[in-house]
Amino acid sequence: MADIKSIDSLTSISIDKKNFEWIYNLYWEKVYAVCYNSIRETEPAKEMVQDIFKSLWERRENLELEKTEHYLVRCAKFKSFEYIRNKISREKHMDLKMQDCKMSTNCTEEHILFNNLKEKVSTLVEKLPCQCKRVYKMSREEGLGNKEIASSLLISERAVEYHIHKATNMLKLSLASYAI
């Protein structure tokens, strides 16, 4: 087994199982300290340490370490930065989801209120006198003008205006409780 100075001064070290264990035992606390001091969370910091050493082991054949300690500290800083970036991204995502949820709740509530109001208006229109109901529906539902309604029903434009006025007044009175 190599000593600390010889590992850190070599440009390329062979990491076998024995050297890996030695490096791990020598540096895991420092790597953990860097991670923990960056994020202030115990479990994620432990996971980062495991990820760093796992990566070191997996890349042992292709990795050339000049200074083991510096390499591991740099890895810890990068892992911490990545964790913070992902955490911020997750929090933003959750905030957006919560806003969507709040909006959809309001949207659903408004949709229900709209449908209730629409149903109430339909019920009230059906209770209008026959000619009044016919004129109102032609005006509001079909979008016809007073002249078109008058010629279609063979009544005067003044009569059309009277029926629309009568219908809207009755609806206003009946729907007063829905007013804000």
Side-chain angles (χ1 to χ4, degrees):
M1 173 165 56
D3 63 39
I4 299 171
K5 289 181 183 173
S6 64
I7 284 184
D8 283 341
S9 63
L10 293 173
T11 56
S12 177
I13 55 171
S14 169
I15 302 177
D16 58 13
K17 186 176 179 188
K18 196 172 194 175
N19 280 343
F20 178 79
E21 288 175 7
W22 184 74
I23 291 169
Y24 179 83
N25 289 328
L26 186 62
Y27 293 118
W28 79 266
E29 287 177 330
K30 183 160 189 153
V31 172
Y32 173 77
V34 171
C35 293
Y36 180 80
N37 287 332
S38 297
I39 66 168
R40 299 287 182 201
E41 295 180 47
T42 305
E43 289 307 312
K46 288 179 181 177
E47 288 175 19
M48 283 187 254
V49 171
Q50 294 303 314
D51 288 344
I52 291 166
F53 281 101
K54 177 183 173 216
S55 174
L56 179 64
W57 177 254
E58 289 172 347
R59 299 174 347 148
R60 70 188 178 278
E61 293 172 7
N62 302 330
L63 198 60
E64 291 184 20
L65 293 176
E66 289 183 24
K67 296 196 175 201
T68 309
E69 182 179 3
H70 291 173
Y71 171 81
L72 292 171
V73 167
R74 194 169 59 241
C75 287
K77 287 178 181 178
F78 284 133
K79 271 287 189 197
S80 299
F81 173 75
E82 180 182 45
Y83 176 82
I84 291 166
R85 185 188 66 217
N86 290 341
K87 183 177 180 181
I88 290 169
S89 179
R90 280 191 306 272
E91 287 171 356
K92 284 182 182 177
H93 180 73
M94 290 304 293
D95 287 345
L96 288 173
K97 285 293 185 187
M98 290 303 289
Q99 287 175 357
D100 287 349
C101 182
K102 288 176 185 175
M103 285 181 187
S104 68
T105 302
N106 290 343
C107 186
T108 302
E109 184 178 337
E110 288 172 6
H111 186 69
I112 291 169
L113 291 173
F114 174 76
N115 284 339
N116 288 344
L117 179 60
K118 190 176 171 184
E119 201 173 297
K120 177 74 172 170
V121 168
S122 293
T123 303
L124 292 171
V125 168
E126 290 304 315
K127 291 180 181 178
L128 290 171
C130 188
Q131 186 74 341
C132 192
K133 175 174 38 173
R134 194 175 305 135
V135 169
Y136 179 83
K137 283 185 172 189
M138 291 174 84
S139 172
R140 298 303 191 255
E141 294 175 13
E142 296 175 31
L144 300 175
N146 290 359
K147 194 177 260 187
E148 296 169 303
I149 297 170
S151 68
S152 178
L153 297 177
L154 304 172
I155 58 175
S156 69
E157 284 184 56
R158 186 83 178 125
V160 171
E161 290 171 9
Y162 167 78
H163 288 300
I164 291 173
H165 180 72
K166 183 177 177 181
T168 54
N169 277 346
M170 196 280 291
L171 290 171
K172 282 179 188 176
L173 288 172
S174 299
L175 297 173
S177 64
Y178 285 87
I180 296 174

